[in-house]
Amino acid sequence: MADKETAIETVWKVLDEEADYVVELTQDIVRIPSVNPRFVTDAEQNREAAVQDRLQQETEALGFTSDRWEVFPDRPNIVANLPGDEDKSLILCGHVDVVPIGERTEWTVEPFGGEISNGKLYGRGAVDMKSGVAACIAAARAVRKAGIDLQGRLSIHTVVDEEAGGFGAMDAVAKGKLAKAAIVAEPTWGDVIPSEGGLFWTRVTIKGRQGHAGLRFNEVWPQRDLPGRTLPGVNAVELSTRFLAAMREFESIRCRTSYHPLVPPGLNTINPGVIRGGAGLGEDGLPIILTNPAIIPDVVVIDLDYKFLPNEDPAEVKKEFESFVHHFCQQDRWLREHPITVDWDYSGLYFPPMDTDANHPVIQSLVNRKTELGKAPVIKGFEAVTDAAHYAGAGVASVIFGPSGDGFHGYDEYVDLASLQETTKTIAAAIIDWCDVR
């Protein structure tokens, strides 16, 4: 333990003496626009590869070996490694893509300028999460400059596409780029976050029977069912309104009857985010005709943002919802014969739940070292989802910890520089605590 304490003291001294490094690296990569091309297609803004070039230069200068590959065209992941024992291996992770700037006139600073004012560094991605990426590299750099020989393997993962579903981290995990533990340096305002709920994007398809709207009376008003009667239409939009009302009650029940101590009560919501109704079902799984109200619509597609708690089993979550859908259909003569379908995989987007034990040594290190540097952090759960989920789903003990700021996914985004310095020191200490020294 004495060796660790001495090592941490030495590394913190390096960080104090070279405090500008993490700030300047953050500025450098904020000034390289890396808007996720799923949101805006513009060669001048879609420069994830250029950010990765800059980061690869930094890590290789520190003696890391780099594994670089394209997840999508011109959108590379980088995994940088310092060799060491696997039992004490650690990943430091961050994403390099950012969301669009929105209305330029709403910004009071240059969105990709990296301007510093009143202890804040401004720019898109400043807090979400290029400063966190810079903190990881600066922490590793300080360990190297202090001459510390780590026992465990240290990896730095800089990944693409987090803002659109985490497919960069998913690809890294699929390629076996794992470790025993991981710190994802998303902004947490100095708190330590070992838990986040899981998330499915789920598609529900409701089918009716197409007809002419002029014959709607044949559907909604009692008719003599005589030979030759025109088959009545079945309005899928109206079926969907009943389904949504029932699902709202189902959501309320599941939110009231499940609990996790670190996340807000009722976090496990089911958000009907996109609804499309019309006539005919296309090969893409969506209605073909969306603009003709003279047709009784025969298909409605509802895309759900389906959250569940950190301590819920994904298989049981699926089973529970499918049971609800089945029983709903059994109450309707049409739906008994033409049941609603549920597609859990239509988008490929899935975030496993993360529920790392709060007593895990990496979490305790972050708590203790952050406390030594200032205010004691809160151990809490995360309301949204991050790339930490993908590592957790592969068995990596994962935690989220990063700096403070504001304006993420909004205007005048910034990172607080004092919190950035403190975050870098805390991560550096956690590297030594977990990876150990030889």
Side-chain angles (χ1 to χ4, degrees), residues 122-146:
Y122 287 88
R124 173 59 79 226
V127 74
D128 183 18
M129 63 167 294
K130 291 181 175 180
S131 57
V133 171
C136 291
I137 293 175
R141 175 180 179 271
V143 170
R144 296 292 282 170
K145 291 208 72 173

Side-chain angles (χ1 to χ4, degrees), residues 135-205:
C136 291
I137 293 175
R141 175 180 179 271
V143 170
R144 296 292 282 170
K145 291 208 72 173
I148 306 300
D149 187 14
L150 297 174
Q151 181 176 323
R153 173 172 60 84
L154 179 62
S155 295
I156 300 176
H157 290 202
T158 54
V159 298
V160 298
D161 204 52
E162 191 272 350
E163 297 290 2
F167 291 98
M170 290 169 66
D171 199 51
V173 168
K175 286 180 166 54
K177 310 298 185 182
L178 304 174
K180 294 296 183 181
I183 299 171
V184 176
E186 290 272 13
T188 66
W189 293 266
D191 290 331
V192 176
I193 299 182
S195 299
E196 68 176 35
L199 175 67
F200 293 107
W201 273 10
T202 308
R203 174 164 287 176
V204 170
T205 302

Side-chain angles (χ1 to χ4, degrees), residues 64-120:
F64 283 77
T65 59
S66 295
D67 186 3
R68 176 171 175 149
W69 73 96
E70 290 195 348
V71 180
F72 307 105
D74 203 32
R75 304 185 65 194
N77 276 353
I78 295 179
V79 169
N81 279 298
L82 282 178
D85 296 345
E86 287 304 308
D87 286 344
K88 303 294 290 181
S89 54
L90 178 66
I91 292 168
L92 306 178
C93 179
H95 64 85
V96 300
D97 62 314
V98 301
V99 298
I101 65 170
E103 293 291 331
R104 173 64 183 88
T105 55
E106 295 293 326
W107 287 76
T108 65
V109 296
E110 169 56 44
F112 298 109
E115 176 183 322
I116 295 175
S117 177
N118 297 319
K120 300 172 182 178

Side-chain angles (χ1 to χ4, degrees), residues 207-213 231-236 278-281 289 295-299 334:
K207 294 181 181 178
R209 183 160 55 204
Q210 197 175 130
H212 193 293
L231 281 174
V234 179
N235 192 308
L281 187 63
I289 301 172
I295 300 174
I296 294 172
D298 66 340
V299 62
W334 172 263

Side-chain angles (χ1 to χ4, degrees), residues 18-36:
E18 302 187 15
D20 289 343
Y21 174 83
V22 70
V23 177
E24 291 171 357
L25 181 57
T26 302
Q27 276 186 309
D28 285 353
I29 56 178
V30 165
R31 288 169 175 165
I32 303 172
S34 54
V35 175
N36 191 306

Side-chain angles (χ1 to χ4, degrees), residues 408-422:
F408 56 100
H409 291 213
Y411 300 110
D412 286 355
E413 180 179 353
Y414 72 85
V415 62
D416 178 88
L417 293 179
S419 79
L420 177 57
Q421 302 286 358
E422 194 171 81

